């Protein structure tokens, strides 16, 4: 789903990138990169990123074109749901097997995390400051399929 900050996104060959996904999104926060934090996209190919960058987290309002999905991996796991139903003596739930099944169906992702060199210049947002509530149309090129990683092709205010 997302590349780890420590591993980075693999190098992109020198070619013109084509947008695989177009999103309407609003930047909501800026975070410093830390070990273990994941990102979905880079502002530009990794060879051009440099050593100093921040992570901008966006709230995705709509996927315009393409697919930006993830497999849900949230608890409660199926086993913990069965244990809870048995512990609560919820016989109907046990008989009907009416449990959430995490990880089976891809769902639309609701956030995008992108590594950028200058969030203030690119999206008008700084770390520890309020979000400007400006919407952006962000075009992303898929550069790695497993895990899915993207490079921004372009962004424009909407």
């Amino acid at each position: 789903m997302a590349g780890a900050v420590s591993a980075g996104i693999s190098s992109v060959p020198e070619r013109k990138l084509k947008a695989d996904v177009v999103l309407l999104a609003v930047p909501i926060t800026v975070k410093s990169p830390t070990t273990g934090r994941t990102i979905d996209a880079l502002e530009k190919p990794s060879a051009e990123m440099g050593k100093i960058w921040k992570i901008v987290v966006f709230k995705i309002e709509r996927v315009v074109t393409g697919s930006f999905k993830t497999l849900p991996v949230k608890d409660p796991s199926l086993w913990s749901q069965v244990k809870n139903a048995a512990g609560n003596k919820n016989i109907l739930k046990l008989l009907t097997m009416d449990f959430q099944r995490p990880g089976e169906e891809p769902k639309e992702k609701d956030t995008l995390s992108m590594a950028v060199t200058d969030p203030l210049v690119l999206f008008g947002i700084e770390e520890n400051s309020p979000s400007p509530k400006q919407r952006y149309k962000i075009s992303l090129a898929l550069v790695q399929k497993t895990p899915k990683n993207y490079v921004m092709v372009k962004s424009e205010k909407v």
Side-chain angles (χ1 to χ4, degrees), residues 106-121:
K107 296 189 177 176
E108 291 289 334
K109 253 184 107 145
D110 60 350
T111 60
L112 164 71
S113 57
M114 183 187 307
V116 299
T117 52
D118 192 345
L120 183 60
V121 170

Side-chain angles (χ1 to χ4, degrees), residues 40-103:
D40 300 306
L42 295 175
E43 168 191 357
K44 48 192 164 190
S46 58
E48 300 172 23
M49 280 298 289
K51 296 186 188 280
I52 300 172
W53 48 274
K54 297 285 184 182
I55 299 171
V56 178
V57 179
F58 294 86
K59 172 78 175 138
I60 298 172
E61 292 183 343
R62 189 167 63 105
V63 178
V64 179
T65 60
S67 174
F68 197 67
K69 296 185 182 218
T70 184
L71 288 174
V73 291
K74 297 177 183 171
D75 264 345
S77 69
L78 188 56
W79 177 245
S80 65
Q81 292 177 69
V82 170
K83 283 185 359 184
N84 288 342
N88 296 337
K89 297 184 171 121
N90 190 340
I91 304 301
L92 182 61
K93 188 164 194 137
L94 287 170
L95 289 174
T96 61
M97 298 294 288
D98 184 28
F99 302 110
Q100 296 175 4
R101 305 209 185 269

